[in-house]
mmCIF file with all atom_site columns, all heavy atoms in Angstrom:
data_model
loop_
_atom_site.group_PDB
_atom_site.id
_atom_site.type_symbol
_atom_site.label_atom_id
_atom_site.label_alt_id
_atom_site.label_comp_id
_atom_site.label_asym_id
_atom_site.label_entity_id
_atom_site.label_seq_id
_atom_site.pdbx_PDB_ins_code
_atom_site.Cartn_x
_atom_site.Cartn_y
_atom_site.Cartn_z
_atom_site.occupancy
_atom_site.B_iso_or_equiv
_atom_site.pdbx_formal_charge
_atom_site.auth_seq_id
_atom_site.auth_comp_id
_atom_site.auth_asym_id
_atom_site.auth_atom_id
_atom_site.pdbx_PDB_model_num
ATOM 1  N N   . ASP B 1 186 ? -26.412 -5.679 27.651 1.00 78.00 ? 186 ASP B N   1
ATOM 2  C CA  . ASP B 1 186 ? -27.637 -4.841 28.101 1.00 78.00 ? 186 ASP B CA  1
ATOM 3  C C   . ASP B 1 186 ? -27.409 -4.382 29.594 1.00 78.00 ? 186 ASP B C   1
ATOM 4  O O   . ASP B 1 186 ? -28.065 -3.483 30.111 1.00 78.00 ? 186 ASP B O   1
ATOM 5  C CB  . ASP B 1 186 ? -28.969 -5.486 27.896 1.00 78.00 ? 186 ASP B CB  1
ATOM 6  C CG  . ASP B 1 186 ? -29.254 -5.426 26.374 1.00 78.00 ? 186 ASP B CG  1
ATOM 7  O OD1 . ASP B 1 186 ? -28.789 -4.639 25.572 1.00 78.00 ? 186 ASP B OD1 1
ATOM 8  O OD2 . ASP B 1 186 ? -30.013 -6.270 25.978 1.00 78.00 ? 186 ASP B OD2 1
ATOM 9  N N   . GLY B 1 187 ? -26.698 -5.296 30.394 1.00 67.00 ? 187 GLY B N   1
ATOM 10 C CA  . GLY B 1 187 ? -26.387 -4.903 31.723 1.00 67.00 ? 187 GLY B CA  1
ATOM 11 C C   . GLY B 1 187 ? -27.336 -5.370 32.816 1.00 67.00 ? 187 GLY B C   1
ATOM 12 O O   . GLY B 1 187 ? -27.287 -4.757 33.859 1.00 67.00 ? 187 GLY B O   1
ATOM 13 N N   . PHE B 1 188 ? -28.174 -6.332 32.488 1.00 56.00 ? 188 PHE B N   1
ATOM 14 C CA  . PHE B 1 188 ? -29.045 -6.879 33.574 1.00 56.00 ? 188 PHE B CA  1
ATOM 15 C C   . PHE B 1 188 ? -28.167 -7.395 34.749 1.00 56.00 ? 188 PHE B C   1
ATOM 16 O O   . PHE B 1 188 ? -27.307 -8.295 34.604 1.00 56.00 ? 188 PHE B O   1
ATOM 17 C CB  . PHE B 1 188 ? -29.876 -7.890 33.015 1.00 56.00 ? 188 PHE B CB  1
ATOM 18 C CG  . PHE B 1 188 ? -30.868 -7.331 32.033 1.00 56.00 ? 188 PHE B CG  1
ATOM 19 C CD1 . PHE B 1 188 ? -30.921 -7.712 30.727 1.00 56.00 ? 188 PHE B CD1 1
ATOM 20 C CD2 . PHE B 1 188 ? -31.932 -6.429 32.413 1.00 56.00 ? 188 PHE B CD2 1
ATOM 21 C CE1 . PHE B 1 188 ? -31.720 -7.313 29.766 1.00 56.00 ? 188 PHE B CE1 1
ATOM 22 C CE2 . PHE B 1 188 ? -32.792 -5.975 31.491 1.00 56.00 ? 188 PHE B CE2 1
ATOM 23 C CZ  . PHE B 1 188 ? -32.685 -6.317 30.192 1.00 56.00 ? 188 PHE B CZ  1
ATOM 24 N N   . GLY B 1 189 ? -28.567 -7.098 35.936 1.00 50.00 ? 189 GLY B N   1
ATOM 25 C CA  . GLY B 1 189 ? -27.945 -7.478 37.210 1.00 50.00 ? 189 GLY B CA  1
ATOM 26 C C   . GLY B 1 189 ? -26.564 -6.906 37.332 1.00 50.00 ? 189 GLY B C   1
ATOM 27 O O   . GLY B 1 189 ? -25.694 -7.507 38.075 1.00 50.00 ? 189 GLY B O   1
ATOM 28 N N   . ARG B 1 190 ? -26.300 -5.649 36.825 1.00 57.00 ? 190 ARG B N   1
ATOM 29 C CA  . ARG B 1 190 ? -25.020 -5.044 37.076 1.00 57.00 ? 190 ARG B CA  1
ATOM 30 C C   . ARG B 1 190 ? -24.913 -4.534 38.615 1.00 57.00 ? 190 ARG B C   1
ATOM 31 O O   . ARG B 1 190 ? -23.771 -4.412 39.070 1.00 57.00 ? 190 ARG B O   1
ATOM 32 C CB  . ARG B 1 190 ? -24.896 -3.878 36.184 1.00 57.00 ? 190 ARG B CB  1
ATOM 33 C CG  . ARG B 1 190 ? -24.474 -4.225 34.680 1.00 57.00 ? 190 ARG B CG  1
ATOM 34 C CD  . ARG B 1 190 ? -24.032 -3.118 33.902 1.00 57.00 ? 190 ARG B CD  1
ATOM 35 N NE  . ARG B 1 190 ? -23.628 -3.464 32.569 1.00 57.00 ? 190 ARG B NE  1
ATOM 36 C CZ  . ARG B 1 190 ? -22.579 -2.879 31.890 1.00 57.00 ? 190 ARG B CZ  1
ATOM 37 N NH1 . ARG B 1 190 ? -21.978 -1.848 32.450 1.00 57.00 ? 190 ARG B NH1 1
ATOM 38 N NH2 . ARG B 1 190 ? -22.217 -3.359 30.761 1.00 57.00 ? 190 ARG B NH2 1
ATOM 39 N N   . ASP B 1 191 ? -25.970 -4.110 39.109 1.00 60.00 ? 191 ASP B N   1
ATOM 40 C CA  . ASP B 1 191 ? -25.954 -3.707 40.536 1.00 60.00 ? 191 ASP B CA  1
ATOM 41 C C   . ASP B 1 191 ? -24.992 -2.510 40.771 1.00 60.00 ? 191 ASP B C   1
ATOM 42 O O   . ASP B 1 191 ? -24.193 -2.466 41.752 1.00 60.00 ? 191 ASP B O   1
ATOM 43 C CB  . ASP B 1 191 ? -25.677 -4.859 41.492 1.00 60.00 ? 191 ASP B CB  1
ATOM 44 C CG  . ASP B 1 191 ? -26.728 -5.896 41.296 1.00 60.00 ? 191 ASP B CG  1
ATOM 45 O OD1 . ASP B 1 191 ? -27.860 -5.560 41.238 1.00 60.00 ? 191 ASP B OD1 1
ATOM 46 O OD2 . ASP B 1 191 ? -26.348 -7.098 41.461 1.00 60.00 ? 191 ASP B OD2 1
ATOM 47 N N   . GLY B 1 192 ? -25.013 -1.608 39.801 1.00 64.00 ? 192 GLY B N   1
ATOM 48 C CA  . GLY B 1 192 ? -24.096 -0.396 39.998 1.00 64.00 ? 192 GLY B CA  1
ATOM 49 C C   . GLY B 1 192 ? -22.657 -0.638 39.600 1.00 64.00 ? 192 GLY B C   1
ATOM 50 O O   . GLY B 1 192 ? -21.850 0.277  39.762 1.00 64.00 ? 192 GLY B O   1
ATOM 51 N N   . CYS B 1 193 ? -22.290 -1.802 39.038 1.00 73.00 ? 193 CYS B N   1
ATOM 52 C CA  . CYS B 1 193 ? -20.905 -1.896 38.554 1.00 73.00 ? 193 CYS B CA  1
ATOM 53 C C   . CYS B 1 193 ? -20.701 -1.354 37.267 1.00 73.00 ? 193 CYS B C   1
ATOM 54 O O   . CYS B 1 193 ? -21.619 -1.398 36.393 1.00 73.00 ? 193 CYS B O   1
ATOM 55 C CB  . CYS B 1 193 ? -20.613 -3.509 38.539 1.00 73.00 ? 193 CYS B CB  1
ATOM 56 S SG  . CYS B 1 193 ? -20.847 -4.421 40.110 1.00 73.00 ? 193 CYS B SG  1
ATOM 57 N N   . THR B 1 194 ? -19.424 -1.106 37.064 1.00 76.00 ? 194 THR B N   1
ATOM 58 C CA  . THR B 1 194 ? -19.123 -0.539 35.784 1.00 76.00 ? 194 THR B CA  1
ATOM 59 C C   . THR B 1 194 ? -18.203 -1.576 35.033 1.00 76.00 ? 194 THR B C   1
ATOM 60 O O   . THR B 1 194 ? -17.025 -1.606 35.272 1.00 76.00 ? 194 THR B O   1
ATOM 61 C CB  . THR B 1 194 ? -18.351 0.863  35.736 1.00 76.00 ? 194 THR B CB  1
ATOM 62 O OG1 . THR B 1 194 ? -19.256 1.876  36.426 1.00 76.00 ? 194 THR B OG1 1
ATOM 63 C CG2 . THR B 1 194 ? -18.019 1.274  34.392 1.00 76.00 ? 194 THR B CG2 1
ATOM 64 N N   . VAL B 1 195 ? -18.767 -2.351 34.194 1.00 82.00 ? 195 VAL B N   1
ATOM 65 C CA  . VAL B 1 195 ? -17.965 -3.325 33.469 1.00 82.00 ? 195 VAL B CA  1
ATOM 66 C C   . VAL B 1 195 ? -18.069 -3.008 32.014 1.00 82.00 ? 195 VAL B C   1
ATOM 67 O O   . VAL B 1 195 ? -19.158 -2.998 31.393 1.00 82.00 ? 195 VAL B O   1
ATOM 68 C CB  . VAL B 1 195 ? -18.580 -4.780 33.624 1.00 82.00 ? 195 VAL B CB  1
ATOM 69 C CG1 . VAL B 1 195 ? -17.871 -5.768 32.802 1.00 82.00 ? 195 VAL B CG1 1
ATOM 70 C CG2 . VAL B 1 195 ? -18.449 -5.194 35.088 1.00 82.00 ? 195 VAL B CG2 1
ATOM 71 N N   . ILE B 1 196 ? -16.990 -2.619 31.385 1.00 84.00 ? 196 ILE B N   1
ATOM 72 C CA  . ILE B 1 196 ? -16.920 -2.285 29.944 1.00 84.00 ? 196 ILE B CA  1
ATOM 73 C C   . ILE B 1 196 ? -16.287 -3.396 29.057 1.00 84.00 ? 196 ILE B C   1
ATOM 74 O O   . ILE B 1 196 ? -15.355 -3.993 29.564 1.00 84.00 ? 196 ILE B O   1
ATOM 75 C CB  . ILE B 1 196 ? -15.919 -1.063 29.782 1.00 84.00 ? 196 ILE B CB  1
ATOM 76 C CG1 . ILE B 1 196 ? -16.673 0.120  30.475 1.00 84.00 ? 196 ILE B CG1 1
ATOM 77 C CG2 . ILE B 1 196 ? -15.774 -0.743 28.290 1.00 84.00 ? 196 ILE B CG2 1
ATOM 78 C CD1 . ILE B 1 196 ? -15.866 1.563  30.397 1.00 84.00 ? 196 ILE B CD1 1
#
Side-chain angles (χ1 to χ4, degrees):
D186 288 334
F188 292 113
R190 284 194 175 211
D191 300 326
C193 297
T194 301
V195 177
I196 294 181

